[in-house]
Amino acid sequence: MMITKSVSFTYKVFESIDELTPLETELVAEAKKASLNAYAPYSRFRVGAAIRLESGKIICGANVENAAFPSGICAERSAISNAVSNHPHDKPTSIAISAINYEGITEESLSPCGNCRQVIAEEESRSGNKIKIILACRNNIFVFDTISDLLPLQFNSKNLKISLP
Ligand code: THU
């Protein structure tokens, strides 16, 4: 017999950066700085991501666009590639994301695109740790405890019956 299921999730909304912990505030500041390094001549939408690793290090990334549009990469995946390539054993604990449009820092939080959600999900699987997601904008800050909240019923290595190293 057919049943209807529902999925729900919770997230925190902060009205001011001062409500975050000092480490989170620093991470948001780094994401904002990283967005200034974006190469986004086509969309003029500059995104920055800053990842905190278990060691305390911060690794950043920005979106890097390309005349062949699909060859561009988002800030979140840019930061994750940077972190995994250079610090493969230092697990990410959180990621802050911020964006700038033609008006300055966006009024509303940028919600990571589907590709980036999938890649953050893989990083949670690879490291075995939840990654806190901090979406910062001019008006408020949204905090999610895990990418599972933004990507329920995700496709992952278990679907392939592969156990990760
Ligand atoms: N972008 C990101 O960097 N992250 C996202 O989560 C959404 C979109 C970038 C891709 C492209 O360079 C520009 O924003 C406009 O889509």
Side-chain angles (χ1 to χ4, degrees):
M1 201 178 87
M2 192 277 273
I3 55 166
T4 302
K5 293 192 172 190
S6 66
V7 177
S8 71
F9 65 94
T10 55
Y11 62 102
K12 299 186 184 82
V13 182
F14 296 91
E15 287 182 352
S16 153
I17 192 105
D18 307 327
E19 295 174 65
L20 300 180
T21 67
L23 285 178
E24 289 168 346
T25 305
E26 183 191 21
L27 202 63
V28 168
E30 290 300 315
K32 285 181 181 165
K33 252 198 255 169
S35 65
L36 298 173
N37 294 336
Y39 173 66
Y42 303 103
S43 70
R44 303 208 177 272
F45 190 75
R46 294 187 285 166
V47 187
I51 297 175
R52 172 83 63 187
L53 302 178
E54 264 178 352
S55 65
K57 280 195 194 81
I58 294 177
I59 305 300
C60 293
N63 53 330
V64 179
E65 297 183 345
N66 194 287
F69 286 7
S71 301
I73 187 169
C74 292
E76 299 90 320
R77 280 177 289 145
S78 183
I80 288 174
S81 300
N82 185 351
V84 176
S85 310
N86 295 300
H87 307 277
H89 306 298
D90 202 352
K91 300 176 179 182
T93 59
S94 47
I95 180 168
I97 304 160
S98 176
I100 301 172
N101 63 18
Y102 58 93
E103 293 176 326
I105 293 185
T106 55
E107 211 168 310
E108 301 302 330
S109 282
L110 164 116
S111 200
C113 78
N115 268 340
C116 290
R117 291 177 198 212
Q118 185 67 27
V119 170
I120 297 169
E122 183 75 23
E123 191 48 21
E124 281 198 354
S125 304
R126 187 186 77 91
S127 70
N129 274 2
K130 284 183 181 171
I131 300 175
K132 186 188 278 188
I133 296 152
I134 305 169
L135 308 178
C137 67
R138 226 179 322 144
N139 289 346
N140 49 37
I141 297 131
F142 292 176
V143 178
F144 302 80
D145 289 336
T146 165
I147 194 64
S148 298
D149 291 334
L150 287 172
L151 189 64
L153 303 177
Q154 55 192 241
F155 179 79
N156 58 31
S157 57
K158 291 193 197 103
N159 296 102
L160 298 174
K161 302 219 180 295
I162 286 175
S163 46
L164 297 175

